[in-house]
Amino acid sequence: MKKRLIRHTLYWLVVLLFLTLFFGQNWENPLLAFYFSSLLLPIVIGTTYFFNSYLVPRYLFTGKYVAFALYLGYMIVISLYLEMLVVIFSFVVIANYKMETMSIMSSSILILGMTLYLIVFITSFIRLVVQIRKKTQQIESLQHDKQRNKKSVLTIRSNRKNHQLPLQDLLYIESLDDHVKVVMSGTELIVREKITRLALRLPDQFMRIHRSFVINEEKIGAFTTTHVVVQKTSLPIGRTYKKEVLSKLKRRDQKRAPETGMGVSI
């Protein structure tokens, strides 16, 4: 939220600079152009957010084209009216009734309107590009998760050999500095790999409960607020992961309770 606010603030500062340079190139005093642009900026911001955050998602994206066109017309009339009020105020207060101080061209309704809606549509285009990029990243992430969850084996290298480990037999993974211990049903393997990187290759049934442990959720026999039990082995729940782990385990038990008539309580 804070980063978003900073990005928006920087963006509108750039817009203010653009307006100042645009109107100030024909003005007698560039400082007066800055004052005029500062008065104009709230109208530009309000129109831009109203168009992009209200009109487009509520009417255009939902297929209400008549209502969209109607409200768009209202928005144009109101925004241009407010712009002309800024022009009159600036001419009276800032320019002190001196025509040579403010360029007539810069105060024309056509130039003001074109400038305003140029900013509106550029902002809309930027938002569209950002949203498309986010959607693409979400789709790629979902596809990656889908492929990962389809996996039935985990390929690891231990003792100079590649091992195909059935995920259903994997109990938990323990971090040992720059190595990890992969604990299976009846066997263990030492792998030269970081636990964080190894966890990224595992499907959703595996979860991180501690900086040193990743467990197979399906192998949990019982749990408390501080430990989980995996086939008689008690493993600690780290404080950093506690809230997420307990929440996930409670949801699991709530889903299983209607089927089995019972759940594991904490």
Side-chain angles (χ1 to χ4, degrees), residues 34-139:
F34 171 75
Y35 294 149
F36 175 73
S37 300
S38 299
L39 292 172
L40 198 62
L41 188 63
I43 301 173
V44 177
I45 294 175
T47 303
T48 300
Y49 282 119
F50 180 76
F51 178 79
N52 289 297
S53 301
Y54 182 78
L55 278 188
V56 171
R58 182 160 185 174
Y59 296 104
L60 184 61
F61 287 168
T62 57
K64 300 176 182 178
Y65 303 119
V66 176
F68 174 76
L70 179 64
Y71 287 116
L72 179 62
Y74 289 156
M75 183 188 73
I76 292 174
V77 171
I78 293 172
S79 61
L80 293 180
Y81 174 75
L82 292 174
E83 282 188 335
M84 292 313 299
L85 290 180
V86 170
V87 171
I88 295 172
F89 177 83
S90 300
F91 179 68
V92 173
V93 178
I94 298 177
N96 197 22
Y97 296 98
K98 294 179 180 179
M99 292 294 296
E100 65 275 9
T101 303
M102 292 179 60
S103 171
I104 297 177
M105 180 63 70
S106 67
S107 62
S108 69
I109 190 170
L110 178 61
I111 297 298
L112 283 173
M114 290 177 60
T115 304
L116 169 64
Y117 284 97
L118 175 65
I119 295 171
V120 170
F121 292 129
I122 287 176
T123 306
S124 181
F125 176 75
I126 293 173
R127 284 170 57 92
L128 180 62
V129 170
V130 171
Q131 289 176 359
I132 290 175
R133 184 178 177 184
K134 287 182 178 179
K135 291 294 183 182
T136 302
Q137 291 175 343
Q138 289 175 356
I139 291 172

Side-chain angles (χ1 to χ4, degrees), residues 1 21 35 40 42 54 57 62 99 124 163 171 207-208 216 222 232 234 240 242 249 261:
M1 184 66 182
L21 295 175
Y35 294 149
L40 198 62
Y54 182 78
T62 57
M99 292 294 296
S124 181
H163 299 265
L171 301 180
M207 64 177 174
R208 190 83 173 262
N216 187 343
K232 299 182 180 180
S234 180
T240 304
K242 183 175 182 179
L249 292 177

Side-chain angles (χ1 to χ4, degrees), residues 8-27:
H8 282 229
T9 301
L10 292 175
Y11 177 77
W12 290 116
L13 287 175
V14 172
V15 171
L16 177 60
L17 177 62
F18 165 76
L19 292 174
T20 302
L21 295 175
F22 178 78
F23 292 118
Q25 60 184 343
N26 296 318
W27 285 36

Side-chain angles (χ1 to χ4, degrees), residues 81-262:
Y81 174 75
L82 292 174
E83 282 188 335
M84 292 313 299
L85 290 180
V86 170
V87 171
I88 295 172
F89 177 83
S90 300
F91 179 68
V92 173
V93 178
I94 298 177
N96 197 22
Y97 296 98
K98 294 179 180 179
M99 292 294 296
E100 65 275 9
T101 303
M102 292 179 60
S103 171
I104 297 177
M105 180 63 70
S106 67
S107 62
S108 69
I109 190 170
L110 178 61
I111 297 298
L112 283 173
M114 290 177 60
T115 304
L116 169 64
Y117 284 97
L118 175 65
I119 295 171
V120 170
F121 292 129
I122 287 176
T123 306
S124 181
F125 176 75
I126 293 173
R127 284 170 57 92
L128 180 62
V129 170
V130 171
Q131 289 176 359
I132 290 175
R133 184 178 177 184
K134 287 182 178 179
K135 291 294 183 182
T136 302
Q137 291 175 343
Q138 289 175 356
I139 291 172
E140 290 176 351
S141 178
L142 289 173
Q143 289 176 342
H144 177 267
D145 291 342
K146 185 177 180 180
Q147 291 298 324
R148 187 181 63 181
N149 288 328
K150 280 183 177 180
K151 291 173 61 175
S152 59
V153 296
L154 175 67
T155 303
I156 62 172
R157 188 169 180 81
S158 178
N159 296 325
R160 299 181 181 181
K161 295 180 181 179
N162 291 325
H163 299 265
Q164 297 274 329
L165 307 181
L167 290 176
Q168 62 181 7
D169 295 334
L170 203 161
L171 301 180
Y172 64 89
I173 300 170
E174 181 180 357
S175 175
L176 304 171
D177 295 326
D178 59 339
H179 295 69
V180 295
K181 180 170 67 174
V182 180
V183 180
M184 310 285 292
S185 297
T187 186
E188 297 179 0
L189 291 173
I190 301 298
V191 183
R192 183 182 287 276
E193 189 171 357
K194 293 289 185 180
I195 191 171
T196 301
R197 292 183 59 185
L198 190 58
L200 293 175
R201 296 166 51 197
L202 295 169
D204 291 341
Q205 73 191 67
F206 291 85
M207 64 177 174
R208 190 83 173 262
I209 64 166
H210 189 278
R211 62 190 301 270
S212 299
F213 293 100
V214 173
I215 65 170
N216 187 343
E217 181 183 338
E218 296 179 356
K219 301 299 182 179
I220 297 176
F223 65 91
T224 68
T225 56
T226 57
H227 289 76
V228 296
V229 179
V230 179
Q231 287 198 355
K232 299 182 180 180
T233 301
S234 180
L235 303 174
I237 300 175
R239 286 185 297 177
T240 304
Y241 305 90
K242 183 175 182 179
K243 183 177 180 180
E244 183 179 353
V245 169
L246 294 181
S247 177
K248 189 173 182 179
L249 292 177
K250 286 179 180 179
R251 289 197 303 269
R252 182 199 67 163
D253 284 349
Q254 288 173 355
K255 290 179 180 179
R256 290 182 176 180
E259 300 175 358
T260 61
M262 60 183 295

